[in-house]
Amino acid sequence: MPETSPLPSELAAGLKRDDHGLVAAVIQQHDTGEVLMLGWMDDEALHRTLTTGRVTFWSRSRGEYWRKGDTSGHVQHVKSVAIDCDGDALLVRVDQVGAACHTGERTCFFTDLEVTR
């Protein structure tokens, strides 16, 4: 846990972060259950998400915070946030405006794989 986490101490203590201090955040449309995308959050990104009503991620590729929709207009309005039983993943329920995926698709999960038995 970061020594200067902006999160309440009980929440910060309950998070299980990866080696880079990140937790996976599954983003879901609040009213339909549609899974939109997966992003990564550190303590600051989660704090911003919980306190601003907009989803903020940590960009692993750019090494900076990004608030979904600031450049695209495809905003995610936070409806609720839940932590899983192990503390290593978050479920962020949102009202998605426009596409969630950078490709312009509604969801990032638009490529189905063949399942064989």
Side-chain angles (χ1 to χ4, degrees):
M1 170 177 60
E3 292 180 26
T4 58
S5 176
L7 297 171
S9 58
E10 188 174 308
L11 173 56
L15 287 174
K16 292 183 185 170
R17 301 160 192 82
D18 69 8
D19 293 341
H20 303 286
L22 302 174
V23 175
V26 176
I27 311 301
Q28 180 183 46
Q29 177 63 34
H30 76 99
D31 53 354
T32 66
E34 179 181 31
V35 177
L36 300 171
M37 60 178 291
L38 174 76
W40 296 93
M41 293 184 180
D42 65 1
D43 287 27
E44 179 62 29
L46 178 54
H47 172 74
R48 292 180 189 187
T49 298
L50 291 169
T51 60
T52 67
R54 295 268 309 276
V55 180
T56 298
F57 298 103
W58 174 256
S59 172
R60 296 177 300 165
S61 60
R62 295 189 305 251
E64 64 185 17
Y65 294 102
W66 62 281
R67 191 167 68 166
K68 183 69 175 170
D70 278 354
T71 57
S72 67
H74 299 165
V75 177
Q76 293 173 338
H77 298 284
V78 178
K79 296 295 185 179
S80 66
V81 179
I83 187 170
D84 81 335
C85 59
D86 296 322
D88 62 359
L90 301 166
L91 177 61
V92 184
R93 294 181 188 96
V94 302
D95 187 16
Q96 176 70 48
V97 176
C101 187
H102 72 280
T103 65
E105 295 286 337
R106 169 79 180 159
T107 173
C108 292
F109 297 96
F110 57 85
T111 303
D112 289 328
L113 302 178
E114 182 180 349
V115 177
T116 59
R117 292 183 172 82

